[in-house]
Every structure is written in structure tokens, then in C-alpha cells.
Amino acid sequence: MLLNGVSHRTITVDSQQTITIIDQTRLPFSIEWLKLETVDAACIAIKTMQVRGAPAIGAVAAYAMVLAVKEDASWQAILQAAQSIKATRPTAVNLAWAVDKQLAALCDVEDDLRLELSWQLAADICEEDVAACSAIGDYGLALIEKIAAQKPGQTINILTHCNAGWLATVDWGTALSPIYKAQQKGLPIHVWVDETRPRNQGALLTAFELSQQGINNTLICDNAGGHLMQTGQVDLCLVGSDRTTSNGNVCNKIGTYLKALAAKDNNIPFYVALPTSTIDWILHSGNDIPIEERDASEVLNVMVNVDGELQALPMSAATQAANPAFDVTPAHLVTALITEKGVYAANTEALQRLKDVCDK
Ligand code: MRU
């Protein structure tokens, strides 16, 4: 998608096998690109959220495995690196999914053939993510068009939480992909952007990327969504997911659950957009998802822009804070899951059908 009018992806590579990511901790006040040259650098990038968003983390994890092979192509060393990469962030399942894909591809291969193979697989994972997110956009667009048909000529108001746009993926995004496709179709779209304390992915990233694409958006504080829904100012909610269990429970950025409750109470469709790489087919309950607990300093401080640099400033009298980074929205609050394979109900039977399609 566009950055200052130029098309970009969040991860780029060149013929010298240089891996470059956009540094999300610098956005929106500064656009900086970061070279990942070691496994350690890739792990730090994931941990410190220089790259974030489930599919983007998965793509970087796939390239982190390439760096691991470069550093030491022996199986023992690869296994050790895989462990460190998986330990960076616990909730988004794409991370372990990408690492496991690399392990499965590399295990029965001679050491000297591993680099080329892992490089190709990482590239494939990125391409598949782009294709999946684009397809999610097409399926989601059809749902937006249905809503648009009920209010011809009027603006369609969509509420989103956190950042599930192209910055959270390789390109297109998950929840924002249908919005970009709707814009291309000429539909009048307006997006309510939850600021998403404490890391403010909405304020810093979603508002930024929507504006870069020329999409009308309004920032709201995290508590405003319920009121907007009650007063008829939201037509649908569209969010992403970090891990969806095989019974349709959706784990996403903290605060998603409250939006789903408010949507249910106000008969507003609550859609979750996700590539199937985000589905944890093993877990049957959201209660089993490890919820990342991040540092209290993220809650006790607020990040402010000082001359193009984000700086942490204290904003509370409190000395302790809790910082669960994700919550689980039960399946019964989810209107449907928008995937690259189509739109599926959030329940065990529908997801089994989706799994059968994926396994074919
Ligand atoms: O902590 P983050 O910023 O990595 O969390 C990201 C989210 O929760 C997104 O909504 C999620 O990954 C869906 S993304 C395409």
C-alpha cells in the first residue's frame, strides 16, 4: 500500500538476501527502514514491536529462520534458534506457525541445501500472505456492499480496533483490506479508529495508514465506541485476530471483547478478518490461549511526539499497572469470520469445513 504516494510492503528483500522491515516504533512521525541481519536482531524487532501484527510477525519469523540457517545450518542450531524466535511473543499464532513450517521443510535436508530452501519458503509465506489478505478484502467488500445497498448514497461507518491494516501484514491488511477494496470500488467509507491504549496502534498506525490511502477516518478514545454504536453512528465493526481457536473464539488486541459486547447489544455486525494462518486448529477454547502480559511502563507512561521522536512521559499517580495485551471474544459475539477461503460462521462445524478446504 501507499507511503507518501509510493507503493510499499512491510518487508522487502533483495537479491543479496538483505531483509528490510519498516520500523513501526518510529511511525507515523518518521518513516525508517531497518535491516535485519541476525536472528537476535529479528527477535528484538518482534519483541519491541518494530514489527507487529500477527501476519507480519509470522513473515518476519519466517525470515528469522533464514538468518538462523545463515548463522549455523546444523539441525541442533536451527532448533535452538527456532525456540528463541518462538519465545519472542506468545499470543499471535502466526509466529509459531511460520517457524514450524520452516522446521518441517528443513528437517530432512542436508545442511548445505537449507539456506536456499528456507529463503524460498519465507518468500512463499510472504506472497501467500499478500494473496490471502487481498482475498479477505474481496470477501469483506461483498459484506460492505450489502450494507451499502441498505443505505444508498450514504456513508458507511466502520469501527476498527488496534491496527489490522497493511502495516500488520505484508500488504493489504486483514480488517482494513475490505476497506481499501471498498474505496477502490468508490463506496463512501468512514472509519472510526479506536486509539488502542496503551501502545496506541490505532492512533499511531491505523489513522496513519488510512490517511495515507486517502480514507476518511476519525480517531476516538477507546471508550467511545459503545456510545457511537448506541447512537446509530456505526454500521459494522471490523477487526483482526491474533489467534482464533477451532471453536471460533477470537483473540485480538485488548479491548476487542468490549467492542463485540457493545456491537451485540446494538445489533451491529461484528466481523473478524483473518488469514487461515491465524487459526489455531489445536486449541478448542479461547481460555487456553496464552495472553501476553506486557510491561507496566506502557500503561504508566504515554508516548508523545517530541521533534519527530516518540518519547515516554509519565501520565499517572499509580505506581503499579497491569497490562494484558490481548483478550478473547467468545464465538457467539462474532457475526462471521472473513478469511481468504470465504466467509465462515464462528463455530466448530463451520471451522471444520474451513479446515477441510485448507487441507485439500
Ligand atoms: O500487539 P500487536 O500490535 O502485535 O497486536 C496486533 C493486533 O492485535 C492486530 O489486531 C492483529 O494482529 C490482527 S492483524 C492483522
Side-chain angles (χ1 to χ4, degrees):
M1 304 299 291
L2 299 178
L3 271 181
N4 295 334
V6 179
S7 187
H8 285 281
R9 287 181 174 187
T10 52
I11 304 166
T12 56
V13 294
D14 65 17
S15 55
Q16 308 302 304
Q17 297 197 333
T18 310
I19 301 154
T20 308
I21 61 166
I22 186 165
D23 184 347
Q24 301 202 26
T25 58
R26 315 286 294 175
L27 291 173
F29 304 111
S30 165
I31 297 173
E32 290 183 24
W33 298 88
L34 183 73
K35 280 199 175 96
L36 299 179
E37 291 174 312
T38 61
V39 177
D40 280 353
C43 288
I44 289 169
I46 297 172
K47 253 191 200 150
T48 62
M49 294 168 74
Q50 287 171 314
V51 59
R52 29 78 40 215
I57 293 172
V60 168
Y63 276 114
M65 288 294 287
V66 177
L67 295 168
V69 177
K70 260 191 185 170
E71 285 170 20
D72 185 340
S74 71
W75 186 239
Q76 201 48 41
I78 290 173
L79 280 180
Q80 226 163 21
Q83 232 176 6
S84 315
I85 298 163
K86 278 188 184 180
T88 50
R89 291 193 76 189
T91 303
V93 79
N94 304 59
L95 195 154
W97 167 85
V99 172
D100 287 340
K101 259 188 132 167
Q102 286 279 17
L103 289 176
L106 298 173
C107 66
D108 291 328
V109 173
E110 298 292 324
D111 290 11
D112 58 338
L113 298 176
R114 283 184 170 144
L115 185 55
E116 204 43 52
L117 192 68
S118 63
W119 181 255
Q120 190 51 54
L121 181 55
D124 291 347
I125 285 174
C126 287
E127 288 311 319
E128 281 163 21
D129 186 60
V130 176
C133 287
S134 174
I136 286 168
D138 294 332
Y139 286 115
L141 168 62
L143 298 170
I144 296 176
E145 281 177 322
K146 268 194 200 152
I147 290 167
Q150 290 159 17
K151 45 184 303 197
Q154 292 177 56
T155 299
I156 303 134
N157 289 295
I158 302 175
L159 184 142
T160 193
H161 190 68
C162 194
N163 172 257
W166 76 274
L167 291 168
T169 64
V170 180
D171 206 354
W172 282 109
T174 56
L176 298 194
S177 181
I179 293 171
Y180 294 137
K181 300 269 179 167
Q183 180 198 35
Q184 287 180 353
K185 265 279 180 98
L187 293 176
I189 297 282
H190 166 258
V191 184
W192 296 111
V193 178
D194 282 353
E195 62 180 347
T196 321
R197 273 280 292 158
R199 290 292 295 232
N200 291 329
Q201 288 95 330
L204 297 172
L205 303 174
T206 303
F208 171 69
E209 65 161 272
L210 288 171
S211 300
Q212 287 278 320
Q213 273 16 260
I215 290 178
N216 186 13
N217 67 90
T218 305
L219 184 66
I220 50 175
C221 69
D222 289 325
N223 296 326
H227 164 75
L228 294 173
M229 291 189 221
Q230 272 180 332
T231 50
Q233 298 181 72
V234 178
D235 293 303
L236 71 154
C237 299
L238 202 39
V239 301
S241 171
D242 289 87
R243 190 186 300 223
T244 294
T245 53
S246 61
N247 64 345
N249 288 349
V250 170
C251 182
N252 192 47
K253 181 53 56 193
I254 194 80
T256 303
Y257 170 48
L258 290 176
K259 297 301 136 70
L261 281 172
K264 185 77 170 180
D265 195 43
N266 291 284
N267 280 322
I268 291 167
F270 188 90
Y271 289 111
V272 180
L274 68 154
T276 50
S277 55
T278 302
I279 301 175
D280 186 332
W281 301 106
I282 312 265
L283 293 190
H284 305 301
S285 161
N287 296 337
D288 298 331
I289 297 175
I291 301 293
E292 179 178 16
E293 182 74 35
R294 292 189 63 87
D295 203 274
S297 63
E298 292 182 347
V299 179
L300 295 170
N301 294 316
V302 66
M303 301 298 286
V304 293
N305 171 23
V306 181
D307 299 332
E309 290 268 337
L310 278 171
Q311 279 182 21
L313 293 181
M315 53 84 75
S316 170
T319 51
Q320 11 182 30
N323 190 9
F326 298 93
D327 61 24
V328 176
T329 297
H332 69 91
L333 298 180
V334 175
T335 307
L337 304 170
I338 308 169
T339 78
E340 77 275 21
K341 306 282 183 197
V343 178
Y344 285 78
N347 62 47
T348 306
E349 297 70 35
L351 281 171
Q352 184 54 52
R353 279 200 305 280
L354 174 58
K355 185 167 185 336
D356 293 343
V357 172
C358 293
D359 289 347
K360 260 188 201 153

